[in-house]
C-alpha cells in the first residue's frame, strides 16, 4: 500500500482545509522547490497549475476512497496526476495506475506525452490500451491509459479490477455511456475493495452531485476493519486555472452554412488579427475534410494574401503522423489552423491557440426507442460546451472566440448542460456487457442517470430476437457469451458468428472491419464525378457490402499500395486500419475456437450472414421514383437510400441497411438487396410473431 501520509506521522506542512461535507478544498501551496538539476520537462511540469496541488492531491487520495478533481483544460490533470501517483508509490508491488479517457485518440496522445515526459518508451512503464490495440507490458507498465470501454471489458475477466491501485476516470463531465457505466460499477467495486482509490476528474463537473453519488454508504459501513480504510466521504479539489480572458463575438444574423461561415471567419482572422493559431470547431470528419479542402483551395487562389496558413484537421481516427503534426509547434511566420471535432473541447490541449471559431454544433447520438432508430445528429451544443470551446482561446494569452451563431441563440436555444449519453443511446451493448458481468437487475442498479425504461425494453427485445438473450433475459450459450466476447456492435458480432456456420467468415470479417472504420472513401463535399465513377468500377449488384469486398480484393492485388488508393479515391489510412482490424478479428474468432473459411463467389451466403445480424434493419420499397421511398419493416419509418450507396437510384424492392443517417431525411447507409424470404428464415420469431401484419412473402 502506498504511504504518502499516514496518521501518526508528520502531516504535510501546507495548510489544508478539508471540508468533511465534501466542500471545495482550498489549499495554500508551499513555494515550489528550486529547479536545480531538472530536465526541461521537469520545469515545464512544475509550471502547470496542478503542480501547486501535488501534495494536496496525494494527501486526499491517500485519505479518501474517492477524490473529485475539477480543473481547467490544460491545467495538467491528465498528464500529471498519474505521474504524481507513481512517484508516491501507488504503482509499487506490481500494481498499476489506470487513467481512462472517453476517446481513443486522447488515450494515445496523452500516453505518448507522459512517456515523453518520463523519458520512457510507450508500452513500457507508460502504456495504453484501446480496442484492438494493446501497448502495455505486463509487470512493467505502471501507468496505463485506456478508454473507459476497454476498462469495462477488462471487468469481464477480472470483475474487481484487482491489478489497479488507483483508477482515474477522466473527462467525467462528458458523461459518455461508458463513463457512466464505469462509474456505476466502480462504486460497487469500491465496496469490495476498500483499498482501491478512485479519482474522478474533469474540466467542468457538477462536483456536488458526483460526490453525492459516491457518498451512499453509511459512515460505519464498509469500515468494519477498524479505522485503517480510507474515508468513504468523497473529497473535492478544485484546481485554480490560469486562463486568460477571451473576448466573445457573435454573428448578427444566423448563418445558413456554418461550414462556409467557418472558412470565411478563418480567412478574416488571418487577414486582420495578429499572430496566433486558430482552432475551429466543426462536427465530424466529413465537414472537417470539406473545410480543409475549401481553405486550402482558397489559400492557393489568393496566394499572397493567405500565405502562411497551415491547415490541419483533428478527429478520432486520424493517423499517428497527422496527430503529431497537431502538436508540433507552429513554425515562425506561419499560422496554424486546426479544424476539429469536439475532441479539442477538453480532452486535448493545443498550445498556441489564440482564436477559436465555434460552429455551435457537434455530432451527437440520439436514440428513439419507439422507432428504434439511433442517429448521429448534428445538433446544437450546450452552453457549458460553448464556454469550454471559448476557453481554448485563452491558454497562452488573451484570445478571441468567434461564435457562428447569434447571441439570442446562445441565450435561448442552447441547453445549459448536455444530456448524458445513457439517456440518449441505444442500450444494446450496454445490456450485454452488464449481463456478461452477471448484473441482471439493470434498472434497479445505481446509475448516475437512469437509463430510460423504454430503451431498456427495446434493447432486451433486440437481444432476444438475435438469440443473444433467452426468455429469462440471460445470455444464451454459446451465442450470447460469444457475442459478449467480441468488442463490436452485437448485430455485427451475430453476423460474424452466423458466417461461421454459412462458411463465409473470411468475407464477413472483411465487411465487419470496413463497417467499423469511418469510411473507406476519401471524403468530398457534395457529389464528385471522379469518385462516382470509381465507385461504379467496384459496384456490385448486391449492394455496398459486396462492393466493399471488391475494393478490399483490389487493394490486396495492388500490393496494398497507397498510390493505388490515391488514384481510386480510397482512403489509404482507412484501408490500413481495415487490414489491421481484420487480423485482430481473425485472432479473436480463433480464440473462440472458430477457423475462418471463405465462400469464394457465393454472395448469397454473405448476404444471409448479414441478415442474421441486421434483419431488424429491413425495409421495403414503397414508392418507385428516381430515389424511391422505403418504409422500415420495424416501425414503418420513411427512409431513403443514401446517395453514397452503390444502390442509390437502383431501387431494389427489399433491402437491409447498416445504419440510418438523418439530415433532411432518414437515409439508409450501406445497403444490400435481399430476398424477403431470408428474413423469415433468419428470424422467424421476429417476423412472424411480432409483425403479423407483414404480408407472408
Ligand atoms: P488537462 O488534463 O488538465 O486538460 P493535460 O494534462 O492534458 O491537462 O495537459 C497539461 C499540459 O501539458 C498542457 O497545457 C500542455 O502544455 C502540455 N501537453 C499535454 N499534451 C501535450 C502534447 N501532446 N504535446 C505537447 N504538450 C502537451
Ligand atoms: Mg485532460
Amino acid at each position: 500500500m502506498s504511504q504518502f501520509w499516514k496518521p501518526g506521522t508528520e502531516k504535510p506542512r501546507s495548510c489544508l482545509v478539508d471540508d468533511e461535507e465534501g466542500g471545495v478544498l482550498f489549499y495554500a501551496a508551499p513555494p515550489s522547490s528550486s529547479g536545480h538539476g531538472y530536465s526541461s520537462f521537469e520545469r515545464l511540469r512544475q509550471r502547470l497549475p496542478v503542480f501547486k496541488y501535488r501534495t494536496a492531491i496525494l494527501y486526499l487520495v491517500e485519505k479518501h476512497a474517492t477524490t473529485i478533481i475539477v480543473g481547467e483544460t490544460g491545467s495538467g490533470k491528465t498528464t500529471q496526476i498519474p505521474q504524481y501517483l507513481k512517484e508516491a508509490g501507488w504503482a509499487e508491488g506490481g500494481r498499476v495506475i489506470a487513467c481512462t479517457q472517453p476517446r481513443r485518440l486522447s488515450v494515445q496522445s496523452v500516453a505518448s506525452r507522459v512517456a515523453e515526459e518520463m523519458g520512457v518508451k510507450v508500452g513500457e512503464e507508460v502504456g495504453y490500451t484501446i480496442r484492438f490495440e494493446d501497448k502495455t507490458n505486463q509487470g512493467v507498465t505502471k501507468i496505463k491509459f485506456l478508454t473507459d470501454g476497454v476498462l469495462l471489458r477488462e471487468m469481464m475477466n477480472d470483475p474487481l479490477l484487482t491489478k489497479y491501485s488507483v483508477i482515474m476516470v477522466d473527462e467525467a463531465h462528458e458523461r459518455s455511456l461508458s463513463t457512466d457505466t464505469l462509474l456505476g460499477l466502480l462504486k460497487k467495486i469500491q465496496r469490495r475493495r476498500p483499498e482501491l482509490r478512485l479519482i474522478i476528474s474533469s474540466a467542468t463537473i457538477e462536483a456536488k452531485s458526483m460526490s453525492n453519488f459516491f457518498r451512499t454508504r453509511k459512515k460505519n459501513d464498509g469500515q468494519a476493519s477498524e479505522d485503517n480504510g480510507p474515508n468513504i466521504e468523497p473529497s473535492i479539489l478544485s484546481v485554480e486555472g490560469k486562463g486568460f480572458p477571451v473576448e466573445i463575438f457573435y454573428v448578427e444574423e444566423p448563418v445558413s452554412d456554418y461550414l462556409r461561415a467557418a472558412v470565411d471567419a478563418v480567412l478574416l482572422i488571418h487577414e486582420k488579427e495578429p499572430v496566433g493559431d486558430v482552432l475551429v470547431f466543426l462536427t465530424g470528419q466529413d465537414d472537417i475534410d470539406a473545410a480543409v479542402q475549401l481553405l486550402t483551395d482558397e489559400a492557393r487562389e489568393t496566394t499572397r494574401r493567405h500565405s502562411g496558413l497551415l491547415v490541419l484537421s483533428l478527429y478520432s481516427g486520424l493517423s499517428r503522423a497527422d496527430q503529431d503534426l497537431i502538436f508540433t509547434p507552429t513554425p515562425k511566420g506561419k499560422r496554424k489552423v486546426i479544424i476539429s471535432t469536439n475532441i479539442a473541447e477538453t480532452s486535448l490541449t493545443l498550445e498556441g491557440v489564440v482564436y477559436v471559431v465555434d460552429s455551435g454544433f457537434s455530432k451527437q447520438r440520439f436514440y428513439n426507442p419507439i422507432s428504434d432508430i439511433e442517429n448521429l445528429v448534428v445538433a446544437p451544443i450546450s452552453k457549458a460546451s460553448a464556454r469550454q470551446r471559448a476557453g481554448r482561446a485563452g491558454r497562452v494569452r488573451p484570445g478571441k472566440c468567434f461564435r457562428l451563431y447569434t447571441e439570442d441563440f446562445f441565450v435561448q436555444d442552447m441547453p445549459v448542460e448536455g444530456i448524458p449519453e445513457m439517456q440518449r443511446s441505444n442500450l444494446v451493448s450496454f445490456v450485454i456487457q452488464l449481463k456478461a458481468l452477471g448484473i441482471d437487475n439493470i434498472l434497479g442498479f445505481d446509475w448516475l442517470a437512469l437509463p430510460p425504461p423504454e430503451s431498456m425494453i427495446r434493447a432486451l427485445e433486440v437481444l432476444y430476437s438475435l438469440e443473444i438473450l433467452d426468455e429469462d433475459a440471460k445470455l444464451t450459450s454459446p451465442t450470447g457469451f460469444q457475442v459478449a466476447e467480441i468488442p463490436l456492435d452485437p448485430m455485427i458480432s451475430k453476423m460474424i458468428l452466423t458466417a461461421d456456420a454459412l462458411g463465409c467468415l473470411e468475407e464477413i470479417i472483411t465487411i465487419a472491419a470496413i463497417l467499423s472504420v469511418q469510411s473507406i472513401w476519401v471524403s468530398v463535399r457534395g457529389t464528385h464525378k471522379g469518385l462516382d465513377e470509381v465507385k461504379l468500377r467496384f459496384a456490385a449488384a448486391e449492394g455496398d457490402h459486396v462492393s466493399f469486398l471488391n475494393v478490399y480484393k483490389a487493394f490486396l492485388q495492388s500490393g496494398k499500395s497507397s498510390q493505388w488508393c490515391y488514384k481510386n479515391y480510397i482512403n489509404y489510412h482507412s484501408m490500413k486500419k481495415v487490414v489491421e482490424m481484420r487480423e485482430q478479428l481473425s485472432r479473436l474468432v480463433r480464440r473462440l475456437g472458430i477457423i475462418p473459411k471463405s465462400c469464394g463467389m457465393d454472395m448469397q451466403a454473405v448476404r444471409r450472414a448479414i441478415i442474421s445480424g441486421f434483419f431488424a434493419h429491413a425495409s421495403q420499397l414503397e414508392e418507385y421514383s428516381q430515389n424511391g421511398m422505403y418504409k422500415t419493416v420495424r416501425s414503418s419509418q420513411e427512409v431513403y437510400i443514401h446517395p453514397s450507396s452503390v444502390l442509390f437510384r437502383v431501387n431494389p424492392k427489399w433491402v437491409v441497411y447498416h445504419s440510418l443517417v438523418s439530415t433532411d431525411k432518414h437515409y439508409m447507409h450501406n445497403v444490400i438487396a435481399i430476398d424477403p424470404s431470408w428474413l423469415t428464415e433468419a428470424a422467424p420469431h421476429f417476423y412472424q410473431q411480432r409483425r403479423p401484419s407483414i404480408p407472408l412473402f
Side-chain angles (χ1 to χ4, degrees):
M1 163 104 238
S2 149
Q3 296 302 327
F4 176 72
W5 179 78
K6 216 177 169 178
T9 61
E10 198 192 346
K11 271 199 177 192
R13 259 176 303 127
S14 39
C15 116
L16 286 167
V17 188
D18 191 355
D19 181 349
E20 279 292 304
E21 290 309 302
V24 173
L25 177 122
F26 293 98
Y27 172 66
S32 58
S33 54
S34 72
H36 177 71
Y38 286 114
S39 70
S40 60
F41 270 132
E42 207 53 42
R43 254 180 238 120
L44 277 179
R45 288 186 61 198
Q46 295 188 358
R47 260 190 249 136
L48 291 170
V50 81
F51 180 71
K52 290 202 231 107
Y53 299 83
R54 187 181 183 279
T55 317
I57 290 167
L58 291 173
Y59 173 81
L60 291 178
V61 172
E62 182 73 39
K63 297 283 287 170
H64 294 260
T66 309
T67 301
I68 298 162
I69 299 178
V70 186
E72 273 278 324
T73 304
S75 54
K77 301 181 299 297
T78 314
T79 55
Q80 304 308 305
I81 294 172
Q83 293 189 68
Y84 298 163
L85 293 168
K86 197 212 125 226
E87 290 154 10
W90 284 95
E92 266 151 37
R95 297 171 310 162
V96 180
I97 297 157
C99 176
T100 72
Q101 301 286 315
R103 296 187 189 83
R104 299 135 150 274
L105 181 66
S106 27
V107 169
Q108 293 173 313
S109 157
V110 292
S112 58
R113 172 67 181 186
V114 171
E116 196 183 0
E117 287 186 9
M118 288 171 54
V120 298
K121 278 221 300 265
V122 177
E124 299 298 310
E125 223 173 320
V126 179
Y128 72 83
T129 312
I130 57 181
R131 189 178 67 165
F132 297 132
E133 192 177 340
D134 184 14
K135 286 247 158 65
T136 60
N137 186 342
Q138 207 176 354
V140 177
T141 300
K142 298 191 158 170
I143 298 177
K144 175 166 162 186
F145 291 93
L146 70 177
T147 54
D148 30 28
V150 165
L151 191 58
L152 279 176
R153 292 219 146 251
E154 287 190 0
M155 268 184 217
M156 282 167 56
N157 294 321
D158 179 11
L160 294 181
L161 296 173
T162 47
K163 67 167 176 263
Y164 301 110
S165 56
V166 186
I167 297 174
M168 172 163 163
V169 180
D170 205 359
E171 301 283 309
H173 64 277
E174 290 219 2
R175 302 295 305 273
S176 79
L177 179 55
S178 296
T179 303
D180 271 21
T181 313
L182 191 60
L183 289 172
L185 293 170
L186 285 174
K187 183 176 156 180
K188 285 279 189 285
I189 292 180
Q190 262 185 331
R191 226 179 251 197
R192 305 272 299 276
R193 280 192 62 201
E195 80 283 8
L196 173 70
R197 298 298 196 276
L198 295 185
I199 297 178
I200 294 153
S201 56
S202 79
T204 55
I205 205 178
E206 259 302 315
K208 277 274 180 198
S209 60
M210 194 63 84
S211 159
N212 287 338
F213 178 72
F214 278 94
R215 184 202 294 130
T216 48
R217 286 173 290 166
K218 295 190 197 78
K219 289 259 170 181
N220 52 4
D221 174 28
Q223 293 213 336
S225 50
E226 279 83 68
D227 69 340
N228 52 9
N231 190 341
I232 54 170
E233 187 71 24
S235 57
I236 301 179
L237 181 135
S238 148
V239 176
E240 299 287 317
K242 53 159 199 198
F244 292 94
V246 175
E247 206 178 339
I248 309 270
F249 300 89
Y250 293 93
V251 293
E252 281 173 13
E253 294 294 325
V255 300
S256 57
D257 179 352
Y258 65 75
L259 212 155
R260 184 71 242 177
V263 168
D264 291 343
V266 171
L267 294 174
L268 204 66
I269 290 168
H270 189 49
E271 206 172 311
K272 302 261 195 271
E273 301 286 344
V275 286
D277 294 343
V278 187
L279 174 62
V280 183
F281 287 100
L282 294 181
T283 69
Q285 181 176 349
D286 37 358
D287 62 6
I288 290 171
D289 284 345
V292 170
Q293 190 64 47
L294 279 174
L295 266 174
T296 318
D297 291 350
E298 200 81 33
R300 202 176 294 132
E301 269 167 36
T302 49
T303 330
R304 221 168 323 123
R305 233 171 9 134
H306 296 142
S307 66
L309 269 188
L310 211 64
V311 188
L312 301 170
S313 48
L314 175 56
Y315 44 77
S316 46
L318 210 61
S319 71
R320 286 315 298 260
D322 288 344
Q323 286 175 37
D324 290 345
L325 272 184
I326 299 281
F327 294 105
T328 311
T330 313
K332 232 184 149 99
K334 296 264 183 199
R335 189 198 297 274
K336 216 193 275 180
V337 179
I338 297 162
I339 309 187
S340 173
T341 59
N342 57 1
I343 190 166
E345 204 171 283
T346 59
S347 30
L348 291 181
T349 312
L350 306 168
E351 291 295 294
V353 172
V354 180
Y355 309 99
V356 164
V357 176
D358 174 14
S359 67
F361 289 97
S362 70
K363 264 200 186 143
Q364 296 164 32
R365 244 197 283 183
F366 282 100
Y367 176 66
N368 177 346
I370 309 296
S371 59
D372 189 32
I373 290 176
E374 185 179 58
N375 258 313
L376 266 181
V377 183
V378 172
I381 57 173
S382 66
K383 289 192 175 74
S385 286
R387 288 200 188 97
Q388 281 298 327
R389 288 181 173 190
R392 304 286 63 75
R395 273 285 301 149
V396 282
R397 58 165 199 259
K400 291 181 178 176
C401 173
F402 300 87
R403 290 179 168 164
L404 302 177
Y405 41 92
T406 62
E407 189 164 10
D408 277 354
F409 187 82
F410 174 76
V411 175
Q412 286 161 18
D413 295 331
M414 281 186 171
V416 176
E417 297 271 336
I419 305 168
E421 218 175 46
M422 193 171 288
Q423 298 186 325
R424 52 183 169 84
S425 295
N426 176 331
L427 298 177
V428 165
S429 297
F430 168 78
V431 170
I432 294 193
Q433 275 195 321
L434 295 175
K435 293 280 174 186
L437 291 174
I439 295 164
D440 279 322
N441 183 6
I442 296 174
L443 282 178
F445 205 82
D446 200 3
W447 304 113
L448 271 159
L450 201 65
E454 306 79 36
S455 306
M456 280 296 302
I457 292 168
R458 272 297 189 177
L460 291 170
E461 240 176 53
V462 168
L463 292 171
Y464 174 70
S465 71
L466 285 165
E467 292 166 338
I468 290 169
L469 292 183
D470 64 17
E471 276 149 10
D472 303 323
K474 299 250 187 285
L475 285 180
T476 56
S477 181
T479 307
F481 283 96
Q482 287 179 330
V483 165
E485 288 279 323
I486 306 177
L488 292 171
D489 182 315
M491 290 163 103
I492 297 189
S493 309
K494 178 70 194 291
M495 169 176 95
I496 290 177
L497 293 175
T498 317
D500 173 40
L502 292 169
C504 57
L505 192 51
E506 285 287 355
E507 286 74 16
I508 286 293
I509 286 181
T510 305
I511 292 174
I514 293 183
L515 290 172
S516 304
V517 301
Q518 291 234 350
S519 170
I520 57 164
W521 306 105
V522 294
S523 43
V524 292
R525 202 180 183 203
T527 52
H528 188 287
K529 220 168 142 251
L531 180 58
D532 289 345
E533 279 168 15
V534 163
K535 274 193 184 168
L536 271 184
R537 222 176 297 152
F538 296 108
E542 292 91 344
D544 294 307
H545 303 68
V546 178
S547 310
F548 290 154
L549 291 178
N550 294 341
V551 173
Y552 184 73
K553 217 185 283 167
F555 176 63
L556 292 190
Q557 273 162 7
S558 79
K560 301 184 191 162
S561 141
S562 59
Q563 205 60 29
W564 177 87
C565 286
Y566 181 77
K567 266 192 269 166
N568 288 290
Y569 294 91
I570 284 164
N571 186 326
Y572 174 63
H573 174 58
S574 295
M575 288 311 286
K576 272 206 323 206
K577 262 214 213 150
V578 166
V579 172
E580 236 169 70
M581 197 176 282
R582 257 197 115 264
E583 275 163 23
Q584 298 274 1
L585 281 175
S586 302
R587 229 171 292 153
L588 201 143
V589 294
R590 277 170 211 271
R591 262 213 318 271
L592 297 175
I594 301 171
I595 310 290
K597 288 189 278 293
S598 166
C599 60
M601 306 300 284
D602 180 10
M603 289 303 122
Q604 206 191 98
V606 168
R607 284 193 284 169
R608 281 172 182 258
I610 294 170
I611 288 177
S612 77
F614 288 86
F615 54 81
H617 286 183
S619 34
Q620 184 181 15
L621 184 67
E622 279 279 313
E623 215 176 83
Y624 194 91
S625 65
Q626 204 186 27
N627 188 28
M629 188 259 280
Y630 286 75
K631 282 218 166 140
T632 60
V633 172
R634 188 104 198 256
S635 55
S636 291
Q637 185 84 36
E638 215 176 272
V639 293
Y640 297 83
I641 293 182
H642 194 270
S644 68
S645 169
V646 299
L647 294 182
F648 180 59
R649 294 188 178 146
V650 176
N651 291 330
K653 193 146 176 28
W654 285 89
V655 295
V656 158
Y657 61 85
H658 179 68
S659 58
L660 283 183
V661 180
S662 301
T663 44
D664 51 331
K665 293 175 185 158
H666 290 305
Y667 284 108
M668 299 182 279
H669 233 231
N670 296 328
V671 184
I672 191 140
I674 57 153
D675 180 330
S677 67
W678 299 343
L679 290 174
T680 36
E681 274 171 39
H685 43 291
F686 187 80
Y687 277 98
Q688 282 161 6
Q689 290 165 18
R690 287 184 32 86
R691 295 275 154 197
S693 58
I694 295 271
L696 290 175
F697 314 113

